[in-house]
Amino acid sequence: MNRRIMMATAAMALGLAFGGGAQAAGMDKVKACFVYVGPVGDGGWTYQHDQGRQAVIAEFGDKVDASTFQENVPEGADAERVLTQMALGGCNIIFTTSFGYMDPTNAVAAKFPNVKFEHATGYRRDSDNVSTYGARFYEGRAVIGTIAGRMTKSNKIGYIASFPIPEVIRGINSTYLHAKKVNPDVTMSVVWAYTWFDPAKEADAAKALIEQGVDVIVQHTDSTAPLAEASKTEGVIGFGQASDMKEYKPSPRVSSIIDNWSPYYIKRVGALLDGTYAQVDSWEGIGAGEVEIGEITDAVPADVKAEAEALRDAIGAGTYHPFTGPINKQDGSVWLADGVTAPDGDLLGMNFYVEGITGDIPQ
C-alpha cells in the first residue's frame, strides 16, 4: 500500500503527545536497523535517511551497530517480511522510513514487544514500542515558494507531486501561498507522478510542464531527474528535494529543501544507550534543524535571497507560521481567519487545496 491519505480525525487524535515508559536501563550496545523505500543512491529522500544512519555510526562508534539496512522495500507485505527478519536478527531499534510502512510497522511491533520501532511520517502507534517522527517540510516549501514567485518570468510554476497524502498536499499549498504572496499573477500546475522514485516518470512530468510554459519546477519526488530535465531548457529553474542536489548548482538548482534526519537518529539511539528512551511522536522543522534550506545560489537576485533568508529565519524563530490567515479553501470557503494559524490537526489531515489552485486532488 502506498502512502494513502490520512484521515483528519485520526491525525487530530494523535495530538503530538509523548507517551510510554522510559527504557528501564541503558544498553551497552545498540543494533539499529533501517528500512528504505528507495535506493540509497536516489539523491533525495532515502539518501538523506542513510546519511542519518551514517551519522549514528560516526557519533557512537563501537557502541552501535548500524550496518543493517534494506533498500527498495515495497510498502506492503514485503515490508512486513523484512521487518520480521530484522527483529529476529537482533535489531534493538528499527527505523521504517516511509508512510506506507505504517501497517507493517505496527503489525510486526505487536509481535516483538522488546524491539523499538520508529516510523517516519506516520501517525499510528498501536503498541508501546512504536514511535513516530516526521519533519515540517511545508516550512521549507514556504521559502522556496517565495523564491519561485519572485523568479518566474512566465508566472507559471509546475509542481511534480508523488501521492495525494497530507504531507504532499501541505507542500503544494505552502508553495503556492507564498509564491502568490509575492507575485499575485502566479499560477501553479500540479502533475501527479504516483511514485516516490522513478527517474523516467519524473523527467517526463518535468518535460510536460516545461512544454506548457512553466519556468519553475518544484518537486515532491526523490530523484534528480526533474533538475536534469530543467537543465535542458534555458531559463528554467528548480530546487533540490530532500537533499541538496548540489550537482545542479548554481542553476537550475537555485536552492533546496534538505531533510536532516541525523539529529533525530542520534537522539533516539542515544536514548537507548543511556536508558532514557520513551515512546514519542516528533514533528520538527526549521527551528530544530530537521528542515534546512540549502545554499541560495548567485542565480537568485540578492534582494530575493535576502527575502527568502529572512522568511527562513522567522519560521525558525517561531515568529511566522506558513499557514497564517486569511486563507480560504479552494471552493472559496473560509479556512483560517485573519491572523489565525493552522492547528497541527488540520495540517496533519490536510486533504484540500487552498483558493487559487486549479484542478482536483485525486481520490
Side-chain angles (χ1 to χ4, degrees), residues 181-357:
K181 185 176 291 188
V182 299
N183 181 354
D185 297 325
V186 84
T187 61
M188 178 181 286
S189 299
V190 180
V191 173
W192 292 95
Y194 292 98
T195 183
W196 292 110
F197 179 79
D198 187 325
K201 282 187 177 180
E202 295 172 65
D204 286 346
K207 182 177 180 181
L209 287 166
I210 293 167
E211 288 176 348
Q212 295 171 25
V214 163
D215 61 357
V216 179
I217 299 289
V218 182
Q219 66 181 92
H220 200 142
T221 52
D222 296 346
S223 86
T224 60
L227 284 173
E229 193 63 37
S231 70
K232 299 176 183 178
T233 304
E234 186 176 355
V236 176
I237 65 168
F239 302 88
Q241 157 63 18
S243 72
D244 199 31
M245 300 186 178
K246 60 184 178 181
E247 60 268 37
Y248 291 94
K249 290 181 182 179
S251 187
R253 175 256 178 245
V254 297
S255 187
S256 58
I257 299 173
I258 302 172
D259 307 343
N260 181 16
W261 301 110
S262 298
Y264 185 79
Y265 289 160
I266 289 170
K267 178 169 62 178
R268 299 302 279 161
V269 172
L272 273 183
L273 287 167
D274 66 22
T276 61
Y277 187 93
Q279 183 192 45
V280 300
D281 177 67
S282 175
W283 200 24
E284 302 286 2
I286 290 175
E290 288 192 11
V291 177
E292 299 177 340
I293 301 300
E295 177 196 1
I296 301 173
T297 72
D298 290 342
V300 178
D303 60 333
V304 176
K305 178 178 180 178
E307 183 179 18
E309 290 177 338
L311 180 61
R312 174 202 64 196
D313 294 346
I315 293 171
T319 58
Y320 175 76
H321 192 296
F323 288 105
T324 300
I327 301 174
N328 292 343
K329 294 184 177 182
Q330 187 184 43
D331 61 7
S333 62
V334 174
W335 175 41
L336 296 173
D338 189 16
V340 175
T341 59
D344 281 343
D346 281 11
L347 295 178
L348 286 165
M350 183 171 278
N351 60 359
F352 60 87
Y353 284 149
V354 295
E355 189 173 41
I357 299 179

Side-chain angles (χ1 to χ4, degrees), residues 4-6 164-171 347-351:
R4 299 293 185 187
I5 296 179
M6 290 183 279
I165 63 170
E167 174 192 324
V168 178
I169 297 167
R170 284 194 300 270
L347 295 178
L348 286 165
M350 183 171 278
N351 60 359

